[in-house]
Amino acid sequence: YLRTGKSYDVIISGCPEPSTALSNRFFTRTFFKGCLARLAPGGILGFRLNSSENFWSPALSYRNASVVAALGAVFPHVLVLPGSVNVVLAPGLSLLLM
């Protein structure tokens, strides 16, 4: 859908966890750049990352930090709503100017 040339008000990525090389491609700077390019003015990107409310292992901490860092390299603002499932939101550039 990102290659169609259309723009979207909301992009919700329902991809599987970034636990394999195949699924990891949806949590990279390249993918996030593609999302940003397709967001309409005022658009927002959202996805979820499984987590834990009480204990983050070093591997889980590193993975979540890596995904948020990749997203933050493309989008100037990132919001993470914590819980057993972290909801990650990133507004497009024009939403920040409103």
Side-chain angles (χ1 to χ4, degrees), residues 44-76:
I44 191 165
L45 168 66
F47 61 90
R48 64 180 175 81
L49 287 173
N50 284 334
S51 187
S52 173
E53 290 184 39
N54 299 323
F55 176 75
W56 280 29
S57 67
L60 180 64
S61 298
Y62 181 75
R63 186 211 57 191
N64 287 352
S66 176
V67 170
V68 170
L71 183 64
V74 176
F75 287 82

Side-chain angles (χ1 to χ4, degrees), residues 11-63:
I11 296 175
I12 300 173
S13 177
C15 300
E17 288 292 303
S19 57
T20 67
L22 185 62
S23 63
N24 187 49
R25 68 178 183 231
F26 298 111
F27 298 91
T28 63
R29 288 181 188 175
T30 303
F31 178 75
F32 295 140
K33 285 179 185 177
C35 291
L36 182 60
R38 294 293 167 238
L39 280 175
I44 191 165
L45 168 66
F47 61 90
R48 64 180 175 81
L49 287 173
N50 284 334
S51 187
S52 173
E53 290 184 39
N54 299 323
F55 176 75
W56 280 29
S57 67
L60 180 64
S61 298
Y62 181 75
R63 186 211 57 191

